[in-house]
Amino acid sequence: MAKDTAPRWDRRMQQRLARGEAAALGELYDRFAALVHSQAHRMLDDEDAADLVTREVFAQVWENPEAYDPKQGSMRSWVARLTHLRSVQRLRHAVTSRYEAEHGEGAVPDPEELERRVRSATAAARADYIASSMPVPLREALELAYIHRRDYRQTAADLGVTEDEARRRLRLGLQLLSTASARPLEGSAPPGYGRGR
């Protein structure tokens, strides 16, 4: 649910950007560049394209700070939404260009296949966002179980918690990750980048 007012930092940042304060852009970049780049990289699987999306997003913020609507959510959500939109544009362009290269100029990829790729890239970026944002105890339990191949008993021993607590952490972490493939409503932000956060 959207908050009636954005946090003080978000409102002040928008005002500073609107006044053209270069230091404000630097502060915003320091705070959100890692989020923007990692989200773009996860969606595009291309370092150069992620760098380009990062530059484009911060240029768009600098040129149009009034486009941020505090009633729609936090500055972080807005920046993530811009990143998602730019990344989707780049992904569609890259898929179309590859298809044309393989099938001749003017050839158009199957729209359903294109949208499947966009949904898949969005879900992957969302899963990364969820994993990096979840509480550390849940993330540690998932890493032990799925990266280090520990069962819940070994996970409990490694974390120094009871087996019931290890199972609870794994269950909660998996429940959070299961939301990664949820489809957003038409015109809304992708899951995890929406209102209020």
Side-chain angles (χ1 to χ4, degrees), residues 2-196:
K3 298 176 183 175
D4 291 338
T5 59
R8 178 179 290 163
W9 185 89
D10 292 350
R11 290 191 310 271
R12 283 190 31 87
M13 178 56 67
Q14 182 184 30
Q15 292 165 354
R16 291 174 63 203
L17 289 167
R19 287 193 301 261
E21 288 184 32
L25 182 63
E27 186 179 330
L28 188 78
Y29 183 87
D30 289 345
R31 186 173 239 181
F32 298 131
L35 168 72
V36 171
H37 190 273
S38 66
Q39 180 183 347
H41 190 272
R42 185 63 171 127
M43 288 189 70
L44 301 169
D45 195 27
D46 181 328
E47 188 71 27
D48 293 335
D51 289 343
L52 186 56
V53 166
T54 302
R55 287 193 302 272
E56 290 173 347
V57 166
F58 286 100
Q60 184 174 354
V61 169
W62 177 249
E63 293 168 4
N64 302 297
E66 69 284 347
Y68 168 60
D69 182 359
K71 293 177 184 169
Q72 296 297 312
S74 69
M75 180 77 69
R76 177 185 176 91
S77 296
W78 180 58
V79 169
R81 172 85 170 135
L82 295 175
T83 304
H84 177 76
L85 293 173
R86 290 280 179 168
S87 298
V88 167
Q89 288 173 346
R90 289 234 166 255
L91 181 60
R92 286 185 174 137
H93 176 73
V95 169
T96 301
S97 295
R98 269 185 250 134
Y99 192 84
E100 284 183 342
E102 293 171 6
H103 298 93
E105 191 173 331
V108 179
D110 176 33
E112 289 180 18
E113 173 64 16
L114 184 58
E115 289 311 306
R116 186 195 61 72
R117 287 186 183 198
V118 168
R119 282 192 306 275
S120 176
T122 298
R126 167 85 170 127
D128 282 354
Y129 180 85
I130 290 169
S132 67
S133 301
M134 72 175 50
V136 172
L138 301 183
R139 188 170 56 246
E140 287 175 341
L142 288 175
E143 286 174 358
L144 285 169
Y146 292 96
I147 295 173
H148 300 288
R149 301 282 190 209
R150 306 270 199 259
D151 65 22
Y152 75 93
R153 287 183 180 100
Q154 293 167 321
T155 298
D158 289 349
L159 294 175
V161 299
T162 66
E163 290 177 4
D164 285 342
E165 177 62 14
R167 281 194 300 263
R168 186 188 72 78
R169 289 180 186 184
L170 290 168
R171 185 176 58 250
L172 289 173
L174 289 172
Q175 286 172 343
L176 285 172
L177 285 175
S178 72
T179 66
S181 61
R183 278 186 84 176
L185 297 174
E186 193 64 36
S188 68
Y193 308 119
R195 297 174 177 241

